[in-house]
Amino acid sequence: MTPNFALWPKAELHLHLEGAILPGTAAELAEKNGVDLGAKPEDLYSYADLSEFLAMYGRICQAVVTEEDFQRVTFEMLRECHASGARHVEFFISPHAHEGIPFATQFAGIRAGIAQARETIGLSALFAPGINREQGPEAAMAYLDACLAQRCDAMAGIGLDYNEAPFPPEPFAPVFARARAEGLQVSAHAGEGGPAAYVRGSIEALECQRIDHGYAVMDDPDLVARCRDAGILFTCCPTTTIYTTPWRDLTDPRHPIRRMHEAGLAVTINSDDPPFFSTTLAKEYEIAHRDLGFSLEALKGSVLTGLAKSWLPEAEKTRLAAEWSGEIDALIAGA
Ligand code: ADE
Ligand code: ZN
Protein backbone atom coordinates (compact mmCIF):
# COMPACT_ATOMS: atom_id res chain seq x y z
CA MET A 1 0.00 0.00 0.00
CA THR A 2 1.29 3.49 -0.82
CA PRO A 3 1.80 5.46 2.37
CA ASN A 4 0.09 8.82 2.72
CA PHE A 5 3.11 11.02 2.10
CA ALA A 6 1.09 14.15 2.90
CA LEU A 7 1.55 13.10 6.54
CA TRP A 8 5.34 13.08 6.27
CA PRO A 9 7.06 16.22 7.56
CA LYS A 10 9.36 17.54 4.86
CA ALA A 11 11.03 20.55 3.25
CA GLU A 12 10.16 21.74 -0.26
CA LEU A 13 13.35 23.16 -1.76
CA HIS A 14 12.54 23.61 -5.44
CA LEU A 15 9.36 25.50 -6.20
CA HIS A 16 8.63 28.61 -8.28
CA LEU A 17 6.11 31.12 -6.93
CA GLU A 18 4.71 31.96 -10.36
CA GLY A 19 4.71 28.29 -11.36
CA ALA A 20 2.58 27.49 -8.34
CA ILE A 21 -0.33 29.84 -9.11
CA LEU A 22 -3.54 27.85 -9.06
CA PRO A 23 -5.58 27.93 -12.31
CA GLY A 24 -8.64 29.47 -10.63
CA THR A 25 -6.50 32.18 -9.05
CA ALA A 26 -4.77 32.96 -12.36
CA ALA A 27 -8.15 33.35 -14.07
CA GLU A 28 -9.57 35.50 -11.24
CA LEU A 29 -6.54 37.80 -11.07
CA ALA A 30 -6.50 38.20 -14.85
CA GLU A 31 -10.17 39.19 -14.81
CA LYS A 32 -9.71 41.58 -11.87
CA ASN A 33 -6.67 43.27 -13.41
CA GLY A 34 -8.03 43.35 -16.97
CA VAL A 35 -5.20 41.15 -18.30
CA ASP A 36 -5.71 38.93 -21.34
CA LEU A 37 -3.96 35.65 -20.65
CA GLY A 38 -4.10 34.83 -24.35
CA ALA A 39 -5.54 31.36 -23.81
CA LYS A 40 -8.63 29.73 -22.33
CA PRO A 41 -8.09 28.87 -18.63
CA GLU A 42 -8.14 25.13 -19.44
CA ASP A 43 -5.34 25.60 -21.99
CA LEU A 44 -3.09 27.67 -19.76
CA TYR A 45 -1.50 24.64 -18.19
CA SER A 46 -0.91 22.70 -21.39
CA TYR A 47 2.30 22.93 -23.43
CA ALA A 48 4.85 20.69 -25.13
CA ASP A 49 8.26 21.61 -23.71
CA LEU A 50 10.22 23.95 -21.44
CA SER A 51 10.10 26.94 -23.84
CA GLU A 52 6.36 26.62 -24.33
CA PHE A 53 5.90 26.24 -20.58
CA LEU A 54 8.00 29.37 -19.93
CA ALA A 55 5.88 31.33 -22.42
CA MET A 56 2.73 30.38 -20.46
CA TYR A 57 4.50 31.12 -17.18
CA GLY A 58 5.31 34.61 -18.52
CA ARG A 59 1.67 35.25 -19.40
CA ILE A 60 0.43 34.17 -15.99
CA CYS A 61 2.97 36.52 -14.38
CA GLN A 62 1.20 39.45 -16.09
CA ALA A 63 -1.96 38.70 -14.10
CA VAL A 64 -0.27 39.28 -10.71
CA VAL A 65 -0.21 43.04 -10.21
CA THR A 66 -0.92 44.43 -6.75
CA GLU A 67 0.76 43.83 -3.40
CA GLU A 68 -2.37 41.94 -2.32
CA ASP A 69 -2.11 39.73 -5.43
CA PHE A 70 1.46 38.81 -4.50
CA GLN A 71 0.43 38.09 -0.93
CA ARG A 72 -2.42 35.91 -2.17
CA VAL A 73 -0.35 33.79 -4.56
CA THR A 74 2.42 33.40 -1.98
CA PHE A 75 0.06 32.34 0.77
CA GLU A 76 -1.90 29.98 -1.50
CA MET A 77 1.31 28.34 -2.69
CA LEU A 78 2.49 27.82 0.90
CA ARG A 79 -0.92 26.52 1.96
CA GLU A 80 -0.79 23.91 -0.84
CA CYS A 81 2.71 22.87 0.26
CA HIS A 82 1.47 22.54 3.82
CA ALA A 83 -1.36 20.28 2.63
CA SER A 84 1.40 18.04 1.17
CA GLY A 85 3.19 17.91 4.53
CA ALA A 86 5.77 20.65 3.98
CA ARG A 87 6.93 22.33 7.19
CA HIS A 88 9.55 24.48 5.51
CA VAL A 89 9.64 25.87 1.94
CA GLU A 90 12.40 27.51 -0.10
CA PHE A 91 11.03 28.99 -3.30
CA PHE A 92 12.15 30.98 -6.32
CA ILE A 93 10.56 34.18 -7.56
CA SER A 94 10.73 35.85 -10.99
CA PRO A 95 10.22 39.57 -10.25
CA HIS A 96 11.66 40.51 -13.67
CA ALA A 97 8.73 38.70 -15.33
CA HIS A 98 6.08 41.06 -13.89
CA GLU A 99 6.60 43.89 -16.34
CA GLY A 100 6.00 47.35 -14.91
CA ILE A 101 5.41 46.17 -11.33
CA PRO A 102 7.95 47.71 -8.91
CA PHE A 103 10.08 45.18 -7.05
CA ALA A 104 9.09 46.94 -3.80
CA THR A 105 5.41 46.08 -4.43
CA GLN A 106 6.21 42.48 -5.29
CA PHE A 107 8.53 41.88 -2.34
CA ALA A 108 6.10 43.50 0.11
CA GLY A 109 3.33 41.15 -1.00
CA ILE A 110 5.60 38.11 -0.87
CA ARG A 111 6.78 39.03 2.64
CA ALA A 112 3.14 39.43 3.73
CA GLY A 113 2.24 36.01 2.27
CA ILE A 114 5.14 34.39 4.12
CA ALA A 115 4.11 36.09 7.38
CA GLN A 116 0.50 34.95 6.86
CA ALA A 117 1.66 31.35 6.38
CA ARG A 118 3.85 31.50 9.47
CA GLU A 119 1.06 32.92 11.61
CA THR A 120 -1.84 30.80 10.34
CA ILE A 121 -0.32 27.42 9.47
CA GLY A 122 3.04 27.52 11.24
CA LEU A 123 5.03 27.10 8.01
CA SER A 124 8.47 28.66 7.60
CA ALA A 125 9.60 29.92 4.20
CA LEU A 126 12.64 31.50 2.55
CA PHE A 127 12.98 32.64 -1.03
CA ALA A 128 15.52 33.27 -3.77
CA PRO A 129 15.02 35.52 -6.80
CA GLY A 130 15.84 33.50 -9.92
CA ILE A 131 18.09 35.08 -12.53
CA ASN A 132 16.71 34.71 -16.05
CA ARG A 133 19.84 33.36 -17.73
CA GLU A 134 18.44 34.19 -21.19
CA GLN A 135 18.85 37.91 -20.38
CA GLY A 136 22.64 37.58 -19.91
CA PRO A 137 25.09 38.49 -17.15
CA GLU A 138 24.87 42.29 -17.38
CA ALA A 139 21.13 42.29 -16.89
CA ALA A 140 21.66 39.73 -14.11
CA MET A 141 23.99 42.08 -12.20
CA ALA A 142 21.48 44.94 -12.41
CA TYR A 143 18.76 42.52 -11.32
CA LEU A 144 20.83 41.38 -8.33
CA ASP A 145 21.21 45.04 -7.31
CA ALA A 146 17.47 45.60 -7.62
CA CYS A 147 16.78 42.52 -5.48
CA LEU A 148 19.38 43.48 -2.87
CA ALA A 149 17.67 46.88 -2.58
CA GLN A 150 14.58 44.98 -1.38
CA ARG A 151 16.45 42.51 0.78
CA CYS A 152 14.66 41.12 3.81
CA ASP A 153 15.33 38.25 6.24
CA ALA A 154 13.35 35.79 4.09
CA MET A 155 15.51 36.45 1.01
CA ALA A 156 18.09 33.75 1.62
CA GLY A 157 19.62 33.19 -1.79
CA ILE A 158 19.77 33.66 -5.53
CA GLY A 159 19.03 31.17 -8.31
CA LEU A 160 19.55 30.79 -12.07
CA ASP A 161 16.70 29.54 -14.24
CA TYR A 162 14.79 29.77 -17.58
CA ASN A 163 15.91 28.07 -20.83
CA GLU A 164 19.21 26.47 -20.01
CA ALA A 165 20.99 25.92 -23.36
CA PRO A 166 22.76 27.73 -24.93
CA PHE A 167 23.27 29.83 -21.80
CA PRO A 168 26.17 28.26 -19.85
CA PRO A 169 26.74 29.25 -16.22
CA GLU A 170 30.31 30.62 -16.43
CA PRO A 171 29.45 34.18 -17.61
CA PHE A 172 27.36 34.58 -14.46
CA ALA A 173 30.37 33.97 -12.17
CA PRO A 174 30.80 37.68 -11.20
CA VAL A 175 27.08 37.93 -10.36
CA PHE A 176 27.23 34.84 -8.17
CA ALA A 177 30.48 36.02 -6.54
CA ARG A 178 28.77 39.27 -5.62
CA ALA A 179 25.70 37.43 -4.29
CA ARG A 180 27.94 35.19 -2.15
CA ALA A 181 29.89 38.21 -0.89
CA GLU A 182 26.55 39.70 0.17
CA GLY A 183 25.92 36.56 2.24
CA LEU A 184 23.34 35.04 -0.08
CA GLN A 185 23.09 31.30 -0.67
CA VAL A 186 23.35 30.23 -4.31
CA SER A 187 21.79 27.54 -6.46
CA ALA A 188 21.44 27.05 -10.21
CA HIS A 189 19.16 25.14 -12.54
CA ALA A 190 21.51 22.91 -14.53
CA GLY A 191 21.41 19.57 -16.32
CA GLU A 192 17.67 19.83 -17.04
CA GLY A 193 17.89 21.05 -20.64
CA GLY A 194 21.66 21.54 -20.73
CA PRO A 195 24.67 19.19 -20.59
CA ALA A 196 26.73 17.83 -17.69
CA ALA A 197 29.23 20.63 -18.37
CA TYR A 198 26.62 23.12 -17.12
CA VAL A 199 26.33 21.18 -13.86
CA ARG A 200 30.12 21.24 -13.56
CA GLY A 201 30.23 24.96 -14.41
CA SER A 202 27.57 25.74 -11.79
CA ILE A 203 29.68 24.00 -9.15
CA GLU A 204 33.10 25.27 -10.26
CA ALA A 205 32.42 28.79 -11.57
CA LEU A 206 29.33 29.70 -9.53
CA GLU A 207 30.35 27.71 -6.42
CA CYS A 208 26.89 26.22 -6.02
CA GLN A 209 26.45 23.54 -3.38
CA ARG A 210 22.91 23.05 -4.63
CA ILE A 211 21.90 22.15 -8.18
CA ASP A 212 18.27 22.37 -9.26
CA HIS A 213 17.44 19.27 -11.38
CA GLY A 214 20.95 18.18 -12.45
CA TYR A 215 19.90 15.10 -14.45
CA ALA A 216 22.67 15.37 -17.07
CA VAL A 217 25.25 14.79 -14.31
CA MET A 218 24.76 11.09 -15.05
CA ASP A 219 26.51 11.58 -18.42
CA ASP A 220 29.80 12.34 -16.63
CA PRO A 221 30.94 9.63 -14.17
CA ASP A 222 33.85 11.72 -12.84
CA LEU A 223 31.48 14.55 -12.04
CA VAL A 224 29.10 12.12 -10.30
CA ALA A 225 31.94 10.98 -8.02
CA ARG A 226 32.95 14.54 -7.35
CA CYS A 227 29.39 15.63 -6.50
CA ARG A 228 28.95 12.62 -4.22
CA ASP A 229 32.20 13.38 -2.37
CA ALA A 230 31.38 17.07 -2.06
CA GLY A 231 27.80 16.37 -0.90
CA ILE A 232 26.28 18.52 -3.64
CA LEU A 233 22.50 18.59 -3.21
CA PHE A 234 20.32 17.88 -6.26
CA THR A 235 16.76 19.19 -5.94
CA CYS A 236 14.99 16.82 -8.34
CA CYS A 237 11.44 17.16 -9.62
CA PRO A 238 10.15 13.85 -11.02
CA THR A 239 7.07 15.03 -12.92
CA THR A 240 8.91 17.98 -14.47
CA THR A 241 11.11 15.51 -16.34
CA ILE A 242 8.05 14.31 -18.28
CA TYR A 243 7.48 17.80 -19.61
CA THR A 244 10.89 19.43 -20.00
CA THR A 245 13.40 16.62 -20.61
CA PRO A 246 13.71 13.58 -22.89
CA TRP A 247 12.97 11.42 -19.79
CA ARG A 248 9.24 10.99 -20.29
CA ASP A 249 8.79 7.57 -18.63
CA LEU A 250 9.25 7.71 -14.87
CA THR A 251 9.28 3.89 -14.65
CA ASP A 252 12.23 3.63 -17.06
CA PRO A 253 15.04 1.88 -15.13
CA ARG A 254 17.47 4.33 -16.76
CA HIS A 255 15.58 7.39 -15.50
CA PRO A 256 18.28 9.76 -14.25
CA ILE A 257 16.66 10.43 -10.85
CA ARG A 258 16.70 6.68 -10.15
CA ARG A 259 20.33 6.47 -11.25
CA MET A 260 21.33 9.58 -9.28
CA HIS A 261 19.87 7.99 -6.17
CA GLU A 262 21.53 4.62 -6.90
CA ALA A 263 24.86 6.41 -7.44
CA GLY A 264 24.68 7.78 -3.91
CA LEU A 265 24.09 11.42 -4.81
CA ALA A 266 22.22 13.62 -2.34
CA VAL A 267 18.78 13.90 -3.97
CA THR A 268 15.63 15.59 -2.67
CA ILE A 269 12.14 15.28 -4.11
CA ASN A 270 10.35 18.51 -5.04
CA SER A 271 7.46 19.82 -7.12
CA ASP A 272 8.86 22.78 -9.21
CA ASP A 273 5.66 24.21 -10.80
CA PRO A 274 2.93 21.95 -9.40
CA PRO A 275 -0.29 23.14 -11.16
CA PHE A 276 1.53 23.43 -14.50
CA PHE A 277 2.64 19.83 -14.13
CA SER A 278 -0.63 18.61 -12.54
CA THR A 279 1.14 17.51 -9.39
CA THR A 280 1.67 18.17 -5.68
CA LEU A 281 4.66 17.63 -3.41
CA ALA A 282 3.02 14.56 -1.82
CA LYS A 283 2.40 13.10 -5.30
CA GLU A 284 6.08 13.56 -6.17
CA TYR A 285 6.99 11.46 -3.11
CA GLU A 286 4.53 8.78 -4.25
CA ILE A 287 6.19 8.75 -7.68
CA ALA A 288 9.66 8.52 -6.13
CA HIS A 289 8.54 5.53 -4.06
CA ARG A 290 6.44 3.75 -6.69
CA ASP A 291 8.35 4.49 -9.91
CA LEU A 292 11.87 5.64 -9.08
CA GLY A 293 13.06 3.01 -6.62
CA PHE A 294 13.18 5.06 -3.41
CA SER A 295 12.45 2.84 -0.39
CA LEU A 296 10.68 4.42 2.58
CA GLU A 297 14.01 4.50 4.44
CA ALA A 298 15.64 6.20 1.45
CA LEU A 299 12.88 8.80 1.35
CA LYS A 300 13.33 9.44 5.05
CA GLY A 301 17.05 9.92 4.36
CA SER A 302 16.20 12.27 1.54
CA VAL A 303 13.90 14.36 3.76
CA LEU A 304 16.62 14.65 6.40
CA THR A 305 19.34 15.45 3.84
CA GLY A 306 17.12 18.18 2.37
CA LEU A 307 16.59 19.64 5.82
CA ALA A 308 20.31 19.44 6.64
CA LYS A 309 21.21 21.26 3.41
CA SER A 310 18.37 23.76 3.59
CA TRP A 311 19.08 27.43 4.24
CA LEU A 312 17.62 27.41 7.76
CA PRO A 313 19.85 28.29 10.75
CA GLU A 314 21.85 25.30 12.07
CA ALA A 315 20.14 25.18 15.48
CA GLU A 316 16.72 25.08 13.82
CA LYS A 317 17.83 22.25 11.52
CA THR A 318 19.08 20.18 14.47
CA ARG A 319 15.82 20.68 16.35
CA LEU A 320 13.66 19.82 13.34
CA ALA A 321 15.76 16.80 12.36
CA ALA A 322 15.07 15.09 15.70
CA GLU A 323 11.36 15.93 15.47
CA TRP A 324 10.88 14.86 11.83
CA SER A 325 12.95 11.70 12.19
CA GLY A 326 10.77 10.47 15.06
CA GLU A 327 7.57 11.34 13.22
CA ILE A 328 8.63 9.56 10.02
CA ASP A 329 9.78 6.47 11.95
CA ALA A 330 6.36 6.28 13.60
CA LEU A 331 4.59 6.68 10.23
CA ILE A 332 6.75 3.98 8.64
CA ALA A 333 6.16 1.62 11.60
CA GLY A 334 2.40 2.21 11.38
CA ALA A 335 2.25 1.86 7.58
N1 ADE B 1 11.23 28.18 -14.20
C1 ADE B 1 10.22 27.54 -13.63
N2 ADE B 1 10.34 26.21 -13.81
C2 ADE B 1 11.50 26.02 -14.50
C3 ADE B 1 12.17 24.89 -14.97
N3 ADE B 1 11.70 23.65 -14.78
N4 ADE B 1 13.32 25.08 -15.66
C4 ADE B 1 13.80 26.32 -15.86
N5 ADE B 1 13.21 27.42 -15.42
C5 ADE B 1 12.06 27.28 -14.73
ZN1 ZN C 1 12.75 24.91 -11.28
Side-chain angles (χ1 to χ4, degrees):
M1 203 181 71
T2 311
N4 181 358
F5 286 109
L7 299 176
W8 281 40
K10 56 180 86 63
E12 162 66 90
L13 301 180
H14 184 164
L15 175 71
H16 299 261
L17 173 64
E18 293 86 345
I21 299 175
L22 299 167
T25 302
E28 257 181 69
L29 293 182
E31 167 90 22
K32 171 174 87 72
N33 294 320
V35 173
D36 180 6
L37 288 175
K40 294 193 285 254
E42 61 271 26
D43 294 335
L44 279 172
Y45 293 76
S46 132
Y47 42 81
D49 55 24
L50 181 59
S51 312
E52 234 181 62
F53 153 71
L54 287 169
M56 290 292 187
Y57 177 93
R59 279 193 216 153
I60 287 181
C61 287
Q62 303 309 310
V64 191
V65 173
T66 66
E67 184 178 323
E68 291 69 32
D69 296 345
F70 280 91
Q71 175 173 355
R72 175 177 174 181
V73 296
T74 304
F75 176 69
E76 287 185 0
M77 171 189 71
L78 296 175
R79 194 189 57 202
E80 292 297 307
C81 289
H82 184 253
S84 268
R87 306 268 176 93
H88 173 66
V89 176
E90 292 176 3
F91 64 94
F92 298 108
I93 62 171
S94 302
H96 55 79
H98 302 267
E99 279 162 47
I101 314 297
F103 280 23
T105 304
Q106 302 188 39
F107 279 62
I110 293 165
R111 280 198 305 272
I114 290 175
Q116 189 182 354
R118 188 178 53 241
E119 284 153 20
T120 60
I121 51 179
L123 186 83
S124 66
L126 299 171
F127 69 89
I131 292 168
N132 179 348
R133 64 202 308 153
E134 296 173 42
Q135 295 177 351
E138 272 174 37
M141 195 61 102
Y143 171 73
L144 175 60
D145 282 335
C147 291
L148 284 169
Q150 303 302 327
R151 192 164 181 182
C152 59
D153 288 348
M155 185 175 133
I158 197 100
L160 183 69
D161 56 10
Y162 277 70
N163 279 306
E164 197 179 329
F167 307 102
E170 286 80 359
F172 296 92
V175 184
F176 272 63
R178 165 117 206 277
R180 283 187 278 100
E182 290 284 349
L184 289 172
Q185 305 279 354
V186 292
S187 84
H189 283 56
E192 177 192 27
Y198 287 16
V199 176
R200 184 182 286 279
S202 301
I203 294 166
E204 289 179 354
L206 308 186
E207 299 188 26
C208 291
Q209 295 291 311
R210 187 190 290 191
I211 298 292
D212 301 305
H213 299 295
Y215 316 121
V217 71
M218 296 315 294
D219 297 336
D220 181 342
D222 289 343
L223 185 60
V224 170
R226 177 153 170 215
C227 290
R228 187 176 45 227
D229 294 347
I232 301 295
L233 182 70
F234 290 88
T235 65
C236 295
C237 308
T239 300
T240 301
T241 66
I242 302 176
Y243 292 92
T244 69
T245 80
W247 298 100
R248 305 216 155 194
D249 177 4
L250 292 164
T251 65
D252 185 333
R254 291 162 305 150
H255 193 285
I257 301 180
R258 175 186 282 271
R259 285 186 292 130
M260 289 162 83
H261 170 51
E262 287 170 356
L265 294 175
V267 167
T268 54
I269 303 299
N270 307 275
S271 65
D272 210 6
D273 305 282
F276 278 93
F277 301 141
S278 307
T279 193
T280 65
L281 182 57
K283 274 196 205 167
E284 295 302 290
Y285 272 70
E286 270 171 46
I287 290 167
H289 182 48
R290 188 188 59 229
D291 299 333
L292 291 167
F294 285 70
S295 66
L296 295 181
E297 279 306 321
L299 278 174
K300 176 190 167 191
S302 177
V303 167
L304 295 178
T305 301
L307 174 61
K309 293 180 186 289
S310 75
W311 297 334
L312 282 168
E314 289 306 320
E316 181 71 354
K317 294 196 233 188
T318 309
R319 185 181 72 74
L320 291 175
E323 199 175 294
W324 294 8
S325 177
E327 278 186 56
I328 297 175
D329 284 344
L331 287 163
I332 292 177

